[in-house]
Amino acid sequence: MPITATTAAGNMDLTRIAARLEQASAPEIVEWAIETFGRRISLTASMADTILIDIATKIDPDIEVVFLDTGFHFAETLQTLRRAQARYGLNVRVERPKPHANDLYAVGTDSCCAVRKVALLDRALADKAAWLTGLRRAESPSRANTPIVGLDSRGLVKVCPLATWSDEDADRYIVEHDIIVNPLQYEGYPSIGCWPCTDRVVDGADPRSGRWAGSGKTECGLHL
Ligand code: SF4
């Protein structure tokens, strides 16, 4: 069934747009998104690397970049954020949980992700029509069907310009554009979340298998 959405840009046939953008390059997809949504789009960044930031800021240097500071990030992730700010002069919006918000030790991982990740993204996107995210289909079997453009659970348009990129595409862009990479990526952490919930991954395993390892949980709720 076609997915349509009423957005700041009017009534959109997202299925048709996603099919058309399937063959487009990542910069073309970002350009479409920024032209369509203007200031009503944000880019969310996990600080695993700055590929999407590099692409998007070349098109709109002032695009809002959202970082969700859960209070449990690795020092390397916060250091990557600082390097990105220094290099790109980011218009960054850091969202933090309320003081003394419950954490995973008090309430478990689902409730912790709800107050330290999902609620922060809800707040950051409250006045937006769309968001950009760096999800790639090749990251994990659970992300294999990621559309270029879709509708999220809030009714916002979610745009994934890197969805079709292989690991090799990402590696090539990193080298060719001297992209900032979270050093943990080179230490066995291909997917980086909060330190209490992220383990090292052995070569050949699902790159996201180090997240909430052994619990059956695979996503924090940001991408459901
Ligand atoms: Fe809390 Fe872990 Fe979720 Fe981070 S990943 S918000 S520490 S449960």
Side-chain angles (χ1 to χ4, degrees):
M1 182 192 293
I3 300 173
T4 58
T6 303
T7 71
N11 212 13
M12 305 181 74
D13 181 344
L14 296 183
T15 306
R16 188 178 58 78
I17 293 167
R20 179 167 58 81
L21 292 177
E22 192 69 24
Q23 305 305 323
S25 68
E28 288 169 340
I29 296 167
V30 172
E31 211 166 285
W32 167 82
I34 290 172
E35 275 177 12
T36 304
F37 299 105
R39 286 284 157 244
R40 297 200 65 200
I41 191 165
S42 291
L43 185 161
T44 59
S46 66
M47 293 301 155
D49 61 57
T50 59
I51 292 175
L52 188 55
I53 286 172
D54 189 81
I55 293 171
T57 55
K58 281 174 176 151
I59 295 164
D60 178 2
D62 205 34
I63 189 167
E64 184 176 83
V65 175
V66 172
F67 178 73
L68 309 179
D69 186 353
T70 63
F72 285 106
H73 282 300
F74 288 98
E76 289 86 344
T77 301
L78 300 176
Q79 176 198 22
T80 303
L81 170 64
R82 285 192 291 274
R83 290 180 65 200
Q85 286 178 281
R87 172 158 164 189
Y88 296 100
L90 294 181
N91 172 20
V92 71
R93 171 176 179 162
V94 177
E95 289 287 348
R96 295 190 172 87
K98 291 182 178 148
H100 314 298
N102 272 334
D103 60 32
L104 72 164
Y105 303 108
V107 293
T109 57
D110 285 349
S111 299
C112 182
C113 283
V115 296
R116 290 175 178 272
K117 285 192 174 185
V118 180
L120 308 194
L121 187 60
D122 288 348
R123 199 190 306 153
L125 297 181
D127 60 349
K128 302 295 180 189
W131 51 302
L132 290 158
T133 170
L135 293 190
R136 292 189 295 111
R137 294 171 189 162
E139 283 175 323
S140 164
S142 62
R143 295 187 170 177
N145 297 317
T146 300
I148 304 272
V149 179
L151 202 60
D152 76 1
S153 56
R154 303 169 192 80
L156 303 183
V157 177
K158 179 170 153 183
V159 185
C160 306
L162 311 181
T164 62
W165 282 31
S166 65
D167 292 345
E168 291 71 27
D169 291 332
D171 290 344
R172 192 177 317 115
Y173 193 92
I174 285 168
V175 171
E176 289 177 355
H177 297 267
D178 190 24
I179 292 300
I180 300 168
V181 177
N182 188 320
L184 292 173
Q185 296 253 24
Y186 303 119
E187 295 172 22
Y189 296 88
S191 176
I192 304 163
C194 300
W195 64 261
C197 304
T198 307
D199 286 349
R200 276 200 173 81
V201 170
V202 295
D203 280 351
D206 177 346
R208 284 185 60 81
S209 60
R211 307 290 296 278
W212 309 281
S215 72
K217 181 178 166 87
T218 57
E219 295 283 349
C220 57
L222 295 180
H223 297 294
L224 299 178

